[in-house]
Amino acid sequence: MRDLATEFEAERRRLLAVANRMLGSRSEAEDAVQETWLRYAGALADPTARAEIRDLSAWLTTTCARICLDVLRSARVRREAYPGQWLPEPVVSPLDAKPPTDGYAPDPAERAVRTDQVGTAIRVMLERLAPEQRVALVLHDVFAVPFAGIADVLGTTEAAARQLASRARRAVTAADAPRHTADPAEQRRVLEAFVAATESGELDQLLRVLAPDVILLGDSGGHFPAARRPVVGADAVGRFILGLFGRAGRYGQRVTSRPVLVDGVLGLQMETVHSDGRPIRLVVAFAVHEARITGVFNQLNPEKLGDVPPLGDDDGWPPRL
């Protein structure tokens, strides 16, 4: 068992990346990886059975993907009953963090859904996909799994797996998808303009930062008031954002913040106090295209922010970008 555990631990980080990108939930991803371990230990404790596995990494990936597929199919029902809008758990890291590279597709053209590069927007779009489409797209475009292996996971043909990935790719790049193409320098310039506009309280100034078709989504998990439907359009989103900051000011609430990477893209981590005295922690992710914000994603469900470290005494508002 010691040898089995050593082999598995060498693959754990990659398996967790696979599961997290498929499920959008770190806790569910960790459960999927643990179930993968249990199946691995049960199936391969027999040395004879172990000898039949020529590619352990591929076997573990296939097993983990099948578990994730089952979770995705059942999650559809759970998320339909979710209070309000649903956003994935954000992966928050310091500004100087470098994205992991283990196990990813080597060709940049095939990394359209690599979440540590393209941010929360693509993770939100993944939620539109059928479970089979999501599995096919993530395995192929993110982790470079051949379509023959994906067909094995899905119990279908290689041609059908290829078609599932193709349809999924079209869906996540549809015209109504929030676009994110900005490099880090452009992200910083746009976020600085956004902060300055919210500080001014002037709607016209904020509208210059927002794309005409910008979309705002907020996930509170029912813990705090939040828009139950997406807010769409620059005017509506701008008024919504200024209203949030205006309410904080009216109640004399101190807002603290710091810039962070949210799913690999520049965003904000914030803390304030609700009007009823409850502390609020908030992670804001952005999508930026052609010097304007196309998507704002507010995660304030405390159940999804448990791994995010608290702000320090040196953090304040406006954030030091």
Side-chain angles (χ1 to χ4, degrees):
M1 289 297 292
R2 186 180 297 112
D3 291 341
L4 290 177
T6 300
E7 290 176 331
F8 186 84
E9 287 304 316
E11 298 285 340
R12 179 181 289 276
R13 178 178 175 180
R14 187 180 58 80
L15 292 174
L16 187 59
V18 170
N20 193 33
R21 281 151 181 79
M22 286 190 188
L23 302 177
S25 164
R26 185 170 182 84
S27 59
E28 289 183 344
E30 290 174 343
D31 289 345
V33 172
Q34 182 61 21
E35 178 63 24
T36 303
W37 157 251
L38 294 174
R39 295 189 187 184
Y40 168 65
L44 302 182
D46 179 357
T48 302
R50 173 66 182 84
E52 295 177 355
I53 305 299
R54 297 182 179 182
D55 187 339
L56 178 60
S57 179
W59 188 94
L60 290 172
T61 300
T62 297
T63 301
C64 185
R66 285 173 176 160
I67 293 168
C68 290
L69 181 61
D70 290 340
V71 174
L72 285 171
R73 286 167 172 164
S74 62
R76 287 261 170 182
V77 177
R78 296 198 308 274
R79 288 175 188 171
E80 285 174 0
Y82 191 80
Q85 300 174 79
W86 188 96
L87 290 174
E89 295 177 20
V91 179
V92 179
S93 52
L95 291 184
D96 58 356
K98 296 191 180 299
T101 58
D102 297 348
Y104 290 105
D107 182 357
E110 292 184 343
R111 296 188 299 200
V113 295
R114 180 170 165 180
T115 57
D116 64 353
Q117 288 192 339
V118 298
T120 305
I122 196 68
R123 302 184 72 193
V124 171
M125 296 307 297
L126 287 174
E127 290 300 311
R128 293 185 174 188
L129 304 179
E132 294 77 9
Q133 291 178 326
R134 185 165 181 167
V135 168
L137 185 62
V138 170
L139 286 181
H140 183 264
D141 283 21
V142 183
F143 295 98
V145 175
F147 282 115
I150 297 170
D152 186 39
V153 171
L154 299 176
T156 188
T157 65
E158 186 173 343
R162 189 183 301 274
Q163 188 174 58
L164 283 167
S166 178
R167 288 175 176 171
R169 202 175 294 113
R170 288 197 298 271
V172 300
T173 57
D176 62 339
R179 299 162 310 289
H180 178 76
T181 58
D183 62 21
E186 183 180 354
Q187 292 171 36
R188 185 176 294 274
R189 288 193 298 270
V190 171
L191 191 53
E192 287 174 345
F194 173 83
V195 170
T198 57
E199 275 285 275
S200 75
E202 297 293 331
L203 178 61
D204 287 345
Q205 186 173 340
L206 185 54
L207 291 179
R208 289 195 289 270
V209 185
L210 302 176
D213 57 350
V214 62
I215 183 171
L216 182 146
L217 302 175
D219 179 352
S220 73
H223 293 276
F224 300 101
R228 297 191 64 85
R229 296 180 181 277
V231 182
V232 181
D235 188 77
V237 170
R239 292 180 185 278
F240 186 90
I241 290 171
L242 292 181
L244 290 178
F245 281 86
R247 282 198 295 274
R250 285 196 299 274
Y251 288 110
Q253 297 157 344
R254 179 171 178 260
V255 178
T256 58
S257 65
R258 68 176 166 213
V260 291
L261 294 179
V262 186
D263 301 319
V265 173
L266 185 61
L268 295 174
Q269 179 182 341
M270 303 171 65
E271 293 180 4
T272 186
V273 178
H274 191 264
S275 58
D276 61 10
R278 288 181 296 160
I280 299 177
R281 302 176 70 204
L282 173 67
V283 169
V284 186
F286 299 90
V288 179
H289 174 70
E290 295 182 347
R292 288 193 173 188
I293 294 171
T294 61
V296 182
F297 310 98
N298 295 334
Q299 181 57 263
L300 59 158
N301 183 348
E303 296 175 7
K304 297 184 179 182
L305 299 175
D307 292 334
V308 179
L311 295 178
D313 294 336
D314 295 335
D315 296 311
W317 183 265
R320 296 189 297 273
L321 293 166

